[in-house]
Amino acid sequence: MIRLAIKDLRLFASDRRAIILSFVVPIALVTLFAFAFGGVGQKKGESRPATIVIADEDKSEASINVIAKLDSLKELEVYQTTRDSAEAMVKKGDETAVLVFHKGFADSVNAGTKLPVEFEYDASKEAEVGILQGSLIGNLMGIIGGKSMAKEAIANFDKENPSIEEDSRKRIHEQITQNFSSGETKKQSASFITSTPLIAEKQNSPGLIHAVAGTSVMMLLFSVVGMGVSLLDEKEQGTLKKLLYSPIRPDTILFGKMLYVNLISIFQLVIMFIFAKLAFGLDIMPHLTSLILMIIATAYACSSFGVLLASIAKSRQQVQAFSTLIVMIMSCIGGSMIPSFAMPVFMQKMSVFSVNYWSIQGFYDIFWRMLPLQDSTFLSRLVVLVLIGTTLNIIALIMFRRNILKIA
Amino acid sequence: MITVFNLCKSYDSIEALKGISFDIQKGEFYGLLGPNGAGKTTTISILSTILKPDQGEVTIAGFDLQKNPMECKKHIGVVPQELALYNDLTAYANLQFWGSLYDISATTLNTRIDETLHLFGLYDRRNDKVKTYSGGMKRRINIASALLHRPDVLFMDEPTVGIDPQSRNLIFEVMEKLHKEGMTIVYTTHYMEEAERLCNRIGIIDKGRIIAQGTLDELKSSSDIDETIMITFSNLTDTHYDRLAESFDVSKAGDHAIRFISKAVQRDLSVIILKCHEAGLDITDVSIQKINLETIFLRLTGKQLRD
Ligand SMILES: Nc1ncnc2c1ncn2[C@@H]1O[C@H](COP(=O)(O)OP(=O)(O)OP(=O)(O)O)[C@@H](O)[C@H]1O
Ligand SMILES: [Mg+2]
């Protein structure tokens, strides 16, 4: 098996076209995309409503009221849950930000002091955060801020102190109004709510990660098909038949091919990330273990795809026609071209059917979300990739056995 | 060394083998001689374990082919009819790869590769990619790659198709050398000269059946003919041929020639020439041939080996 793989590696090394396709083209594309997405992917205007997760720890009339008003806004979709689960969602990358209404919200509305509302966000999702933050602050200001806030405070005061003397009541009312006077609120608006990044912003720009991960996986799929096709070349050259004359088990021929494709794939991804580090300063060092695991899992899943195509197809032409289409579709829905979060919802749902999605999300986990190796989200991506790879490999083996009898 | 009994194989509608049986002793150079589509490649494919027969039994080196294909594979070397090499690798790398599939130590393999390259006169070109080789050189490497594990039995399926005379001679010399060293060789061809020169036993195969078998002498003596007279005419037509066929044992040899089969040339020749004159035929050439495989085949099947 190893000998078969070595032979294929030698053949690969002698094939200038394959080398260019596997290394030079992807590097060129990454460079291109890195510049295209540049520092950031900010420019993507979202048309669908942004989702904000809200954790209401105050549970007062005031907080419930404000949340209901936010919910009624067209541009915001509100989802309420506990703070812990909300923060977990953001950390996993499922949600962009949480708005936490801390205890004492109502009191501070009454008192007119700085509101204990906290905006906790995933700084890696700059574009989405920006949109959310803008819309939230604006709306909150509208709902709570200024006069409405003063009115509410007065009403609240009246309700809580029904038996106060009319004189002092008036004086207090004036004071409250003053507290919420325009000058005061303006000063507050900058720090109107507290913003806390749950996931730190990195030096690794999301645009860069997207360019590297998305392009690498897509190009890997292309080159993996090319390598898988060498199985069909062997069939056409007659060398496959000749291999069958020798005392190696027929399955070994396929395993040798798989080994070869995996080795080149891993090598290709490694080169891509090293290039990204050298050329764009992608910070790979702190996440080396996760990165290596992700590279292996991605290589494994992608390789199996190439080998499967080769063992199903009858001829080189057939593979080439189909594979380009399939790779393009997978890359498109999987987020190799446009980041998943910028795609329409139905496409996001379909993206789970592509190898690209799981790999790219895995790389995002590593570089954007900075999830630790043990994190269940990250591990689940690895598991999915390995499962995809194993399933496709098994199908490939079955198809290979079925087809190989026809070859002879 | 090899026993084959009642081998049958059909491809969809075509019955390629209709019950083939033969035995090959250790050290024999066995020729399977037959025209295109006779079933030579099919037979070799079955013997080399890559094709399953519909029926029949085969043993190679004492191992049952169906029950123990892996053992059989270790004892055989196969030179396929089509070239099967990695064109982008050097000759040396090709040999190294094919040899590495067998259980040979690296050092043994390397010495054998060098020996084999010398044997086939390709040592100087060993580091060139196979795609830069001529057809004859590729053929030589193709054969060399089947010899590295020193197989007990070598199957060769028309190894000299489309080859220059120089390479062909070299291959023949190597084959004869291997035969002398005791290798059992099964050689298919539709060139009777090759079979006559190389093989010590010949099976004539046609339409999926072995129609005659034996040493060259046995085949000759079992035949009822002695010599053939080939006459070429300038104005041969079908009517002429039909007329001559009424009085002689004849067969066509191309558009302008007729082959007359004879048991006594001295007696028959004058009669034949006279008849041809009577028929109004202009003779341009007369040649007398001793019996050979070609004529035996012709006799057995009524057709020529090469179409
Ligand atoms: N894969 C196949 N599918 C269908 N029919 C086949 C196949 N291989 C061979 N045949 C048929 O089986 C018969 C025997 O073919 P085979 O290749 O054994 O002949 P051969 O003696 O090797 O001929 P040649 O001298 O042309 O190599 C032919 O009629 C051929 O058409
Ligand atoms: Mg043949």
Side-chain angles (χ1 to χ4, degrees):
Chain A
M1 180 167 133
I2 292 166
R3 285 169 186 143
L4 289 166
I6 291 173
K7 173 263 303 170
D8 279 325
L9 289 174
R10 278 184 163 182
L11 279 171
F12 181 84
S14 73
D15 185 352
R16 202 170 304 147
R17 251 193 63 216
I19 293 174
I20 290 176
L21 195 73
S22 303
F23 299 107
V24 181
V25 174
I27 283 179
L29 271 181
V30 166
T31 313
L32 192 74
F33 278 117
F35 282 118
F37 287 105
V40 212
Q42 284 152 329
K43 277 150 258 161
K44 274 146 258 125
E46 312 267 314
S47 50
R48 67 205 170 80
T51 314
I52 177 77
V53 186
I54 292 183
D56 183 3
E57 295 195 309
D58 194 42
K59 298 237 161 53
S60 64
E61 206 174 322
S63 66
I64 289 166
N65 257 332
V66 172
I67 292 168
K69 273 182 191 152
L70 281 177
D71 200 8
S72 68
L73 292 170
K74 241 194 245 150
E75 72 249 47
L76 275 179
E77 209 168 274
V78 169
Y79 174 66
Q80 283 203 59
T81 180
T82 65
R83 183 172 176 191
D84 283 346
S85 76
E87 286 180 356
M89 282 176 187
V90 175
K91 281 184 182 148
K92 268 191 191 168
D94 294 342
E95 293 298 339
T96 311
V98 201
L99 195 62
V100 186
F101 289 82
H102 289 293
K103 268 213 157 24
F105 174 76
D107 296 340
S108 117
V109 168
N110 289 340
T113 53
K114 186 170 180 304
L115 295 171
V117 178
E118 196 176 345
F119 181 70
E120 300 180 319
Y121 59 95
D122 177 350
S124 66
K125 297 181 176 172
E126 281 174 74
E128 290 179 305
V129 169
I131 293 163
L132 267 179
Q133 218 167 7
S135 136
L136 272 177
I137 293 183
N139 284 308
L140 275 176
M141 290 277 290
I143 296 165
I144 322 170
K147 291 212 172 108
S148 68
M149 215 152 140
K151 259 188 216 152
E152 213 159 324
I154 289 168
N156 255 321
F157 175 83
D158 287 351
K159 214 165 94 192
E160 273 163 33
N161 310 284
S163 55
I164 202 164
E165 266 179 44
E166 208 50 35
D167 260 8
S168 35
R169 186 191 295 277
K170 250 186 195 151
R171 225 179 43 243
I172 290 167
H173 279 192
E174 261 164 43
Q175 223 175 334
I176 291 176
T177 320
Q178 196 129 39
N179 268 350
F180 283 100
S181 75
S182 53
E184 192 68 43
T185 354
K186 241 177 223 153
K187 234 194 280 162
Q188 280 184 0
S189 74
S191 55
F192 181 64
I193 54 173
T194 322
S195 293
T196 322
L198 277 181
I199 295 178
E201 191 176 0
K202 291 96 204 176
Q203 62 273 54
N204 292 335
S205 111
L208 176 61
I209 301 291
H210 173 70
V212 176
T215 317
S216 300
V217 177
M218 178 170 77
M219 291 316 291
L220 181 59
L221 283 174
F222 275 118
S223 57
V224 137
V225 171
M227 289 183 269
V229 163
S230 68
L231 189 62
L232 294 170
D233 288 347
E234 299 232 17
K235 181 173 151 185
E236 274 155 34
Q237 283 167 4
T239 45
L240 183 59
K241 219 192 241 183
K242 198 158 156 179
L243 286 171
L244 292 173
Y245 296 136
S246 71
I248 52 173
R249 283 164 16 90
D251 290 352
T252 310
I253 299 172
L254 189 72
F255 294 146
K257 202 55 87 179
M258 287 174 181
L259 180 63
Y260 151 69
V261 182
N262 271 285
L263 288 176
I264 297 276
S265 301
I266 291 173
F267 189 54
Q268 185 177 343
L269 287 175
V270 167
I271 294 282
M272 297 302 286
F273 279 93
I274 290 177
F275 175 76
K277 175 171 171 52
L278 296 182
F280 307 112
L282 180 71
D283 196 10
I284 57 174
M285 282 329 200
H287 327 283
L288 215 51
T289 322
S290 315
L291 180 61
I292 289 170
L293 285 176
M294 203 58 195
I295 282 180
I296 292 174
T298 301
Y300 180 66
C302 289
S303 308
S304 69
F305 169 76
V307 173
L308 175 65
L309 269 189
S311 48
I312 290 176
K314 298 232 156 49
S315 73
R316 200 185 176 105
Q317 288 83 342
Q318 206 182 31
V319 184
Q320 256 142 11
F322 273 112
S323 64
T324 312
L325 190 70
I326 297 175
V327 173
M328 293 304 271
I329 290 175
M330 288 218 300
S331 301
C332 198
I333 63 170
S336 264
M337 303 176 182
I338 318 163
S340 291
F341 68 76
M343 297 190 303
V345 180
F346 82 95
M347 270 180 80
Q348 289 192 21
K349 288 199 176 122
M350 293 202 342
S351 63
V352 297
F353 292 109
S354 69
V355 180
N356 306 55
Y357 173 79
W358 298 100
S359 299
I360 294 171
Q361 292 303 316
F363 288 120
Y364 288 178
D365 286 344
I366 298 173
F367 293 109
W368 286 17
R369 299 175 193 125
M370 300 236 167
L371 296 185
L373 181 56
Q374 312 84 332
D375 185 274
S376 60
T377 310
F378 176 71
L379 290 178
S380 73
R381 315 243 203 244
L382 284 180
V383 169
V384 169
L385 284 171
V386 170
L387 282 180
I388 291 177
T390 308
T391 313
L392 296 189
N393 275 338
I394 289 171
I395 301 174
L397 184 61
I398 293 167
M399 296 310 290
F400 178 77
R401 280 181 182 162
R402 191 177 292 175
N403 288 350
I404 203 162
L405 291 172
K406 283 186 192 149
I407 292 161
Chain B
M1 199 60 169
I2 302 174
T3 64
V4 175
F5 179 71
N6 193 28
L7 216 51
C8 297
K9 176 75 195 177
S10 298
Y11 297 104
D12 302 327
S13 58
I14 305 161
E15 249 187 290
L17 299 183
K18 303 168 189 162
I20 281 190
S21 305
F22 56 83
D23 290 322
I24 298 173
Q25 304 305 312
K26 187 166 167 46
E28 261 188 327
F29 202 134
Y30 187 86
L32 260 183
L33 184 69
N36 289 128
K40 302 183 294 294
T41 301
T42 305
T43 308
I44 295 287
S45 298
I46 293 173
L47 296 188
S48 53
T49 73
I50 62 162
L51 195 64
K52 287 217 165 22
D54 300 336
Q55 212 185 308
E57 279 147 40
V58 178
T59 65
I60 294 175
F63 296 102
D64 187 306
L65 189 77
Q66 312 256 20
K67 290 181 199 138
N68 215 337
M70 275 303 162
E71 278 307 318
C72 291
K73 284 182 190 205
K74 286 180 192 163
H75 292 275
I76 63 170
V78 185
V79 180
Q81 185 167 3
E82 288 92 28
L83 289 169
L85 298 164
Y86 295 106
N87 282 316
D88 287 312
L89 295 182
T90 64
Y92 198 89
N94 261 287
L95 293 182
Q96 217 168 27
F97 171 68
W98 293 114
S100 74
L101 300 177
Y102 297 84
D103 196 13
I104 321 169
S105 79
T107 41
T108 317
L109 179 58
N110 287 340
T111 37
R112 282 191 193 169
I113 290 174
D114 287 348
E115 275 172 32
T116 313
L117 282 166
H118 280 299
L119 191 63
F120 283 94
L122 290 169
Y123 190 76
D124 296 337
R125 296 286 305 270
R126 67 186 180 286
N127 289 325
D128 291 347
K129 284 189 181 175
V130 169
K131 67 178 168 198
T132 66
Y133 276 28
S134 72
M137 291 161 82
K138 283 184 189 168
R139 284 267 163 213
R140 282 186 257 165
I141 285 293
N142 201 36
I143 297 172
S145 64
L147 295 173
L148 297 164
H149 59 291
R150 299 282 145 88
D152 296 328
V153 182
L154 183 66
F155 293 111
M156 302 185 84
D157 195 3
E158 308 200 27
T160 57
V161 169
I163 207 172
D164 55 290
Q166 192 197 342
S167 286
R168 179 193 290 239
N169 264 329
L170 197 142
I171 290 172
F172 285 176
E173 279 160 27
V174 173
M175 303 316 314
E176 280 161 351
K177 180 171 177 286
L178 292 170
H179 178 218
K180 265 199 209 105
E181 288 168 7
M183 193 179 277
T184 310
I185 300 172
V186 181
Y187 189 100
T188 82
T189 181
H190 57 249
Y191 296 116
M192 54 110 190
E193 320 87 64
E194 289 190 355
E196 276 178 7
R197 169 172 169 182
L198 294 167
C199 305
N200 56 5
R201 217 150 62 85
I202 293 161
I204 295 180
I205 180 170
D206 185 43
K207 293 182 187 149
R209 286 208 171 85
I210 297 223
I211 50 177
Q213 191 168 204
T215 63
L216 190 55
D217 286 340
E218 282 167 3
L219 286 172
K220 279 179 182 169
S221 60
S222 69
S223 178
D224 59 347
I225 52 175
D226 187 13
E227 277 156 313
T228 60
I229 302 163
M230 175 113 99
I231 306 185
T232 315
F233 307 96
S234 61
N235 58 343
L236 184 64
T237 64
D238 284 348
T239 353
H240 291 128
Y241 177 80
D242 292 342
R243 248 184 87 182
L244 289 169
E246 284 167 19
S247 16
F248 299 107
D249 194 348
V250 292
S251 64
K252 274 199 171 169
D255 284 344
H256 302 291
I258 296 180
R259 205 189 303 266
F260 297 79
I261 286 158
S262 151
K263 286 201 173 102
V265 177
Q266 293 91 331
R267 188 194 63 205
D268 292 343
L269 186 59
S270 54
V271 184
I272 290 169
I273 290 177
L274 195 70
K275 277 273 180 196
C276 289
H277 270 300
E278 280 174 16
L281 282 162
D282 286 337
I283 297 173
T284 55
D285 187 57
V286 177
S287 68
I288 295 163
Q289 288 166 347
K290 274 271 168 212
I291 182 171
N292 60 21
L293 281 172
E294 184 90 43
T295 42
I296 293 170
F297 185 80
L298 188 74
R299 195 72 187 137
L300 289 168
T301 65
K303 62 185 180 187
Q304 272 172 289
L305 216 40
R306 268 169 290 169
D307 328 290

